[in-house]
Amino acid sequence: EAFWFLRAWSERQWKSYVVQLLVLITTSGLGVLSQISSLLPYYEYGKYSIRGGSELEREVEKLPSLRTGLDREYAQSYSAARAEVWTLIIPDFVGGTSQEDLTRRLGKNSALYTALRSQGVEALQILRAVPTYWGGSPFSAGSFYVGVVWFLLALLGWLYKVDKMDWILIYATWISILLCLGAYGYSLWASLILLVLPGLAYWGGRRLSHPLWRAVVSAGIFLGGWGAISLIDDDPANSYKLTDWVLDYFPFYNKFRAPSTWLVVMGFLFPWMGLRGIVRFLENPQLKMVGYAAAIGGGILVVVGWGAPWIGFSFEGAGDAELQRQGLPAWFMDALREDRIQIARQSTLRSLLWLGMGSLVLFLFVRRYINLTVGGVGLACIALLDGWLLNAAYFPRKEIYVREREIVMPPPKEPYEEFILADTLRPFRVLPFHTNPFTDARPGVYLENAGGYHPAKIKRYQQLIETHLSRLQPEVLKMLSIRYVTARPGTPAPTGYDSIAQTADGVVIFRSANPTPIAWLSPFVKVFPRVDQTLDSLGKYPAHKVALVAEKDWRNLSLLPSQAELDSVEGVVCISREFDKIVYEVRASRPRLLVCSEVYYPPDWKASIDDKETKIIPVNFVLRGVVVPEGKHKVYLECKSLMHEKGKQLSLLGSVGAWTLIVIVGILSLWRRL
């Protein structure tokens, strides 16, 4: 859009530009509107998820950006190291995957193989899973390689000229690269210098008349300036970075993590720049331009890929500290570094081969040994084979990962599930600590799981996990109605739980000594001035005796609950419990606070007492609370997404508008032909 605006500005063609802009806005607006019934609930949920900010006062006071989005450290946990940018054209520059088979990659030429032999180690199975990756993310399943052929073609096009559209693409690429660095990025002042660096490099070389020297000088200024800034600004952990600034001030940016995924954009930008380069070349095919592009591209590959140890690349990653803590000796780490260098150089030779093959096709075309069709097909095949062969090395073959039959859903019951399902005293929940309960994505088909994986958990529940639930705090287990905890053999029983069985697959089952209710009347309420105090105080008071409420929520109650011990007639009975509707029968001698062991989520869950709507407040930081008046009542909790209902109406409007536009365009097209 920026290109078309600049073009309209320079050519004073505002009428056609405005028409195109209105068509774009109308069609894209109708497209979004037709899908908004799905988008609006996600937007609403995002406000309450880990991507929607924190309600804890201490966190917001420390970092105001946490009011609306992710914690900076979490948002940048999957960042690309500065060296990782070069994997766009040298695929294994930072070591390939997290676990490389050095017997396949380097064989007996591996420095680690030699080191292990010299130390008298006979069992060399370790060489089949070596942590060669030294990039910025916790692990890697492959590089962000785009293709060196597209890099060659982009260089070729720039040798002819650089126009407005080129600058838009260049800066889109450059900004994406700076943002992908995340936690390893440059400070704000260094980023500002780097943002003007492409322009400075172009300006510095344009004074030279010869295209080769012009390109060499521009490349030298750009790469040299980038390297100098990298050496000076070498402490990203203690600086306010470009990504920090974007997280603080750009709308919605703080909802997402994994800055390294910005490199995926290169899969679109590099080919676009390459295609523009080949079009420019076809307008005026020159052999010398092919030679210049090949020489510059090859020179960059050699300097960066082969000479990396001599120009400041350490070949040491963030994960190396953990390897050393595991007791790996210095000779092992030194040999590992040498193998990383070998892998980078091996990958550089691979890129040089594909760059040479692409240059050869262009050479044959210019010398008219092949025609345009053959040359185009040849370049396309080279680019395809380049990526295909690399992917084939990363991913297993078809016969390995394609099963002969479909996965059965629901999944078969596991032995521990079979055992627990025999318990008829329901409802209750299970916390499966024999696996990682908060990252395990096994569906909770048979048992209610107090853990489970979700990429955007409700923020309050995630904070509960981090502060109490992961530590198996007894009162928190009670308030979540967790009757069973599973673990591996040798794990001590959580407080208040007894070991009752060990299943055939080695899972130990602990059961609560006392049944934990799914809802209860709380005799007493403790009101705290701040929300974070309700979280911190969990475990200090008996969960079923004292309810913890923040003052801001307490003030919103029209009827305050009494604070006194329950008498013999007061109690709660769960009449029915479905995924979208829960019914309780409550007997109360005076106004009481009903605490429901369900996660508080105000947008969709509504409460009513005897068909009269009432307010739900957060209790014990994550649970739902409803004040019930004196007497016998039925309390209904129902899931009603008003946002979804509103979205359905808007989606219908968008769909009708889109079809109307299609019909109008069709009629006008037929009218013109007639």
Side-chain angles (χ1 to χ4, degrees), residues 204-527:
R206 66 180 298 183
R207 299 191 174 196
L208 301 172
S209 58
H210 196 283
L212 175 61
W213 295 116
R214 185 165 61 239
V216 169
V217 169
S218 295
I221 293 173
F222 178 76
L223 295 175
W226 188 6
I229 291 295
S230 298
L231 290 174
I232 296 170
D233 187 38
D234 63 347
D235 188 16
N238 297 315
S239 63
Y240 186 76
K241 300 176 287 296
L242 175 65
T243 305
D244 296 329
W245 182 79
V246 176
L247 284 168
D248 287 343
Y249 297 106
F250 268 57
F252 303 114
Y253 194 82
N254 60 4
K255 309 296 184 189
F256 307 99
R257 67 170 182 167
S260 60
T261 52
W262 273 104
L263 290 176
V264 176
V265 179
M266 302 299 107
F268 172 73
L269 294 175
F270 263 49
W272 190 354
M273 293 187 290
L275 290 173
R276 288 177 58 82
I278 196 65
V279 168
R280 203 165 288 163
F281 166 74
L282 292 175
E283 293 172 352
N284 183 21
Q286 295 184 41
L287 186 58
K288 64 178 182 180
M289 292 298 193
V290 176
Y292 297 159
I296 294 169
I300 292 173
L301 289 174
V302 170
V303 170
V304 175
W306 198 268
W310 307 319
I311 59 174
F313 291 102
S314 66
F315 289 88
E316 296 172 356
D320 289 359
E322 178 61 29
L323 295 177
Q324 291 172 335
R325 280 194 293 271
Q326 293 174 5
L328 293 177
W331 60 263
F332 183 97
M333 301 305 299
D334 292 340
L336 177 60
R337 182 177 181 276
E338 290 300 316
D339 282 342
R340 288 169 173 171
I341 294 172
Q342 283 196 66
I343 290 173
R345 288 175 172 172
Q346 185 185 75
S347 190
T348 301
L349 291 176
R350 179 190 183 281
S351 293
L352 285 169
L353 172 64
W354 291 111
L355 182 137
M357 291 177 66
S359 302
L360 178 62
V361 171
L362 296 174
F363 168 80
L364 294 175
F365 171 74
V366 174
R367 297 302 296 266
R368 300 187 179 181
Y369 292 118
I370 58 176
N371 59 26
L372 179 60
T373 302
V374 175
V377 171
L379 276 179
C381 288
I382 290 171
L384 179 63
L385 281 172
D386 182 14
W388 183 284
L389 293 175
L390 180 69
N391 289 334
Y394 283 145
F395 296 103
R397 298 186 181 278
K398 180 179 179 181
E399 57 268 19
I400 297 176
Y401 67 85
V402 175
R403 294 178 173 85
E404 295 180 357
R405 60 180 180 178
E406 294 184 0
I407 298 175
V408 178
M409 288 299 291
K413 298 183 183 71
E414 293 190 1
Y416 82 92
E417 292 173 320
E418 294 272 15
F419 183 91
I420 295 175
L421 283 169
D423 189 338
T424 58
L425 189 65
R426 298 183 187 175
F428 58 77
R429 296 191 179 93
V430 175
L431 190 60
F433 250 84
H434 68 279
T435 179
N436 188 328
F438 310 115
T439 60
D440 184 16
R442 178 176 173 80
V445 177
Y446 308 108
L447 300 168
E448 285 193 48
N449 189 345
Y453 172 76
H454 193 284
K457 283 190 179 82
I458 288 180
K459 182 69 174 183
R460 285 191 177 218
Y461 198 73
Q462 179 62 32
Q463 291 167 331
L464 179 75
I465 290 171
E466 294 169 356
T467 54
H468 297 292
L469 189 53
S470 60
R471 298 178 175 86
L472 299 180
Q473 211 286 328
E475 293 301 325
V476 171
L477 297 179
K478 287 181 183 179
M479 79 176 199
L480 293 179
S481 192
I482 297 174
R483 181 158 168 76
Y484 291 92
V485 176
T486 65
R488 288 296 175 190
T491 305
T495 304
Y497 286 76
D498 300 319
S499 177
I500 60 170
Q502 180 171 333
T503 57
D505 56 346
V507 175
V508 177
I509 300 176
F510 302 108
R511 184 173 62 195
S512 173
N514 299 304
T516 53
I518 204 71
W520 61 92
L521 296 177
S522 183
F524 303 101
V525 180
K526 179 72 174 176
V527 181

Side-chain angles (χ1 to χ4, degrees), residues 193-210:
I193 297 175
L194 289 171
L195 285 172
V196 301
L197 189 58
L200 289 174
Y202 177 76
W203 178 81
R206 66 180 298 183
R207 299 191 174 196
L208 301 172
S209 58
H210 196 283

Side-chain angles (χ1 to χ4, degrees), residues 1-35:
E1 191 56 40
F3 169 77
W4 291 108
F5 175 80
L6 292 173
R7 183 174 179 177
W9 177 278
S10 61
E11 298 178 2
R12 298 295 186 267
Q13 297 293 328
W14 292 111
K15 183 178 179 180
S16 60
Y17 172 74
V18 171
V19 171
Q20 291 173 352
L21 184 61
L22 289 175
V23 170
L24 175 64
I25 292 173
T26 302
T27 53
S28 59
L30 289 174
V32 171
L33 198 61
S34 65
Q35 301 297 318

Side-chain angles (χ1 to χ4, degrees), residues 78-85 133 135-137 144 180-182 184-185 259-260 263:
Y78 287 84
S79 300
R82 296 180 182 181
E84 210 156 353
V85 173
Y133 174 72
S137 297
F144 290 92
C180 84
L181 300 176
Y184 303 96
S260 60
L263 290 176

Side-chain angles (χ1 to χ4, degrees), residues 56 108 184 195 372 425 525 587 590 596 624 628 645:
L56 298 182
K108 293 185 178 181
Y184 303 96
L195 285 172
L372 179 60
L425 189 65
V525 180
R587 290 178 179 270
R590 61 191 74 191
C596 307
R624 303 173 197 166
V628 182
E645 294 300 319

Side-chain angles (χ1 to χ4, degrees), residues 132 200 267 278 345 413 581 587 595 632 642 661:
T132 57
L200 289 174
I278 196 65
R345 288 175 172 172
K413 298 183 183 71
K581 186 175 182 179
R587 290 178 179 270
V595 181
K632 181 180 177 181
L642 299 179
L661 185 61

Side-chain angles (χ1 to χ4, degrees), residues 154-176:
L155 290 174
L156 181 61
W158 296 337
L159 284 169
Y160 283 92
K161 65 175 181 179
V162 180
D163 61 17
K164 295 174 184 176
M165 190 62 188
D166 290 318
W167 280 115
I168 292 172
L169 293 174
I170 287 170
Y171 266 95
T173 301
W174 190 225
I175 291 171
S176 297

